[in-house]
Amino acid sequence: MGPRAWAEPSVWTQRMLAALEQGVNGGVWFSLIDKVFSPANLAAATARVAANKGAAGVDHVTVEQFCLDAGNNLKGLGEQLRRGTYQPQAIRRVYIPKPGSTEERPLGIPTVRDRVVQAAIVHVIAPIFERDFAPTSYGFRPGRGCQPALDRVEELLGAGYHYVVDVDLKSYFDTIPHERLLQRIGEKVADGRLLRLIESLLKAGILEGLREWTPTAGAPQGAVLSPLLSNIYLDPLDHLMAAGGAEMVRYADDLVILCRTKAEAERALEQVRAWVDANGLTLHPGKTRIVDAQTDYFDFLGYRFDRDKRYVRPKSLERLKEAVRGKTRRTDGRSLAVIIGDLNRTLKGWFGYFKRCYRTVFSGLDGWIRRRLRSLLRKRERLKGISRHGADDRRGGRTASLPKLGCSA
């Protein structure tokens, strides 16, 4: 998929696209800030933010409220960017649970206004970096995604790459060094005003409850610009591993390196460790390891690769079960049809992603969900005890017949 297929048309003219394909002098782009604050780009950025929805930031302005007066909001925003007076507001920090553990993941929520600015920047600079990104990177890129990354891992395993370096970058998004990241961006973008704008967004205050501080590192998860910045920072690692002949597959900060021999895997791990140390990052000591996929398992993008089969990673399965429990409580007053309709919206999306798992995953899960639904019905029918499928069927009651569920394979 070439740049013409996905570059934002409100920014990238035919002349700019031709320059992108042919390469600009010195590989560096100048005079880009005016593309960021152009009315057409800000309008396109607003549409992108509106499509993603999301919560309000520290100013409590929702996407809907911002869009109701989009004309005036964008006019004022464009003027501030043009004059250089724009200043990002603080980022609201919230925590979301990590399924299967007691840990929580920090999430940063910029204001809608700041999300629009970030989206406008992405429209301008993403094609410049995307042009040279390594093909081993699959996360947050046009025409790529989780399934192609998983397919590549399976392809390599089938080709005899059985030794897997399972790499875990500890708190990657929170630890990206700002100065080094800006230097990396500056290798292709020489517009000082745009670089200062990006820097101001990186250094925007973090508001957590009543406490506010200025970050010295990191790109907040939840910010529109962060996925692109995370790929820019790790791109040299992608090219380093490829140049050394290693088969790396990376989705954002989730990466595995597949090798034919244990010696190759050990060399790849040492290369990664040296690069990570030199670039201000940290490997998680307890989670980074070398796995022989013929005798052991490794996890990647929610899947567990266990020898020649794919399963659901236990944490991913627990996340689904938590969602199912919330939708099938015995005290739920909705009708069974409404509950199952709600449940199927979750199950169909989940099944769409995990449909390549070993078949026993779905039969076991389907049975567990049906037992929850039968237990719910038993409570409504004032029956005691837990649901037993065979016993319920023999009684011929309503519990014997349930609509098809979205995870039935």
Side-chain angles (χ1 to χ4, degrees):
M1 180 183 292
R4 292 178 184 272
W6 48 261
E8 172 53 47
S10 66
V11 174
W12 286 86
T13 63
Q14 292 301 314
R15 182 178 177 182
M16 289 177 66
L17 286 169
L20 180 66
E21 291 170 346
Q22 296 165 11
V24 295
N25 290 334
V28 180
W29 289 74
F30 298 84
S31 303
L32 294 173
I33 190 66
D34 61 309
K35 311 295 189 301
V36 173
F37 61 70
S38 74
N41 186 22
L42 290 177
T46 302
R48 176 175 179 163
V49 170
N52 290 335
K53 300 180 180 178
V58 296
D59 61 357
H60 306 293
V61 175
T62 65
V63 173
E64 293 77 11
Q65 290 169 334
F66 185 90
C67 291
L68 280 175
D69 196 19
N72 287 326
N73 286 332
L74 295 185
K75 183 179 179 181
L77 195 54
E79 190 63 18
Q80 288 177 6
L81 290 166
R82 186 183 69 80
R83 292 181 177 180
T85 59
Y86 165 83
Q87 288 295 325
Q89 295 171 281
I91 294 171
R92 181 165 67 90
R93 171 161 284 191
V94 298
Y95 289 87
I96 56 176
K98 286 186 176 181
S101 79
T102 57
E103 298 178 35
E104 292 184 309
R105 177 181 291 111
L107 191 67
I109 305 176
T111 62
V112 177
R113 161 185 175 270
D114 292 340
R115 298 207 294 266
V116 169
V117 173
Q118 291 189 35
I121 294 172
V122 169
H123 288 169
V124 173
I125 70 171
I128 295 171
F129 290 93
E130 177 64 36
R131 176 183 181 271
D132 298 319
F133 277 161
T136 54
S137 167
Y138 291 83
F140 311 112
R141 297 184 59 194
R144 292 172 170 264
C146 292
Q147 291 302 335
L150 291 162
D151 290 343
R152 179 59 177 159
V153 168
E154 199 160 77
E155 177 187 347
L156 289 167
L157 289 171
Y161 291 79
H162 294 145
Y163 287 91
V164 181
V165 185
D166 189 358
V167 179
D168 189 287
L169 294 171
K170 189 175 181 180
S171 303
Y172 171 63
F173 278 87
D174 286 336
T175 58
I176 302 172
H178 286 169
E179 296 309 315
R180 289 177 181 171
L181 173 59
L182 290 166
Q183 288 172 6
R184 206 148 287 170
I185 298 169
E187 292 171 2
K188 294 187 178 182
V189 173
D191 187 320
R193 290 181 63 189
L194 179 51
L195 290 172
R196 287 191 293 274
L197 175 60
I198 294 172
E199 182 177 15
S200 72
L201 290 163
L202 285 172
K203 297 183 182 299
I206 305 292
L207 184 64
E208 182 179 343
L210 298 177
R211 187 168 70 97
E212 183 174 354
W213 74 95
T214 301
T216 57
Q221 294 187 68
V224 180
L225 190 55
S226 293
L228 174 60
L229 298 184
S230 73
N231 276 336
I232 290 172
Y233 200 71
L234 288 179
D235 184 58
L237 176 61
D238 297 338
H239 287 284
L240 173 68
M241 301 310 296
E247 295 289 352
M248 187 166 84
V249 181
R250 180 175 69 81
Y251 189 99
D253 60 334
D254 198 355
L255 63 100
V256 289
I257 305 166
L258 293 95
C259 305
R260 290 187 182 274
T261 67
K262 187 176 182 180
E264 289 177 2
E266 289 171 344
R267 284 196 298 272
L269 178 55
E270 286 308 308
Q271 273 190 301
V272 170
R273 183 174 283 116
W275 188 92
V276 164
D277 289 344
N279 284 271
L281 302 174
T282 306
L283 291 179
H284 197 298
K287 297 180 180 178
T288 299
R289 62 190 185 121
I290 294 175
V291 176
D292 181 353
Q294 297 177 99
T295 59
D296 202 353
Y297 70 85
F298 66 95
D299 296 334
F300 185 59
L301 296 181
Y303 276 85
R304 172 156 290 180
F305 289 83
D306 193 347
R307 283 160 282 193
D308 61 340
K309 295 181 178 65
R310 278 200 209 182
Y311 296 94
V312 181
R313 185 184 183 191
K315 288 184 179 181
S316 302
L317 188 59
E318 182 56 33
R319 180 184 302 174
L320 174 69
K321 286 189 171 183
E322 286 177 5
V324 170
R325 290 186 189 104
K327 295 174 184 288
T328 57
R329 300 190 190 283
R330 297 181 75 189
T331 55
D332 195 320
R334 298 175 298 171
S335 70
L336 183 64
V338 170
I339 290 173
I340 290 180
D342 184 23
L343 192 58
N344 273 342
R345 283 189 287 274
T346 297
L347 294 177
K348 286 176 180 176
W350 189 89
F351 179 75
Y353 184 81
F354 287 106
K355 61 186 175 184
R356 300 186 192 186
C357 279
Y358 193 56
R359 61 183 179 273
T360 57
V361 170
F362 307 111
S363 58
L365 186 59
D366 188 77
W368 177 77
I369 294 170
R370 288 177 181 276
R371 284 194 296 275
R372 287 196 62 85
L373 291 171
R374 287 190 172 91
S375 293
L376 186 152
L377 282 177
R378 286 176 67 85
K379 179 174 176 62
R380 292 184 179 183
E381 295 171 351
R382 299 184 178 180
L383 297 174
K384 295 182 179 179
I386 61 174
S387 166
R388 290 181 176 83
H389 189 173
D392 286 342
D393 285 350
R394 285 191 295 273
R395 276 195 298 273
R398 287 189 294 136
T399 54
S401 178
L402 291 172
K404 186 175 181 181
L405 296 172
C407 68
S408 300

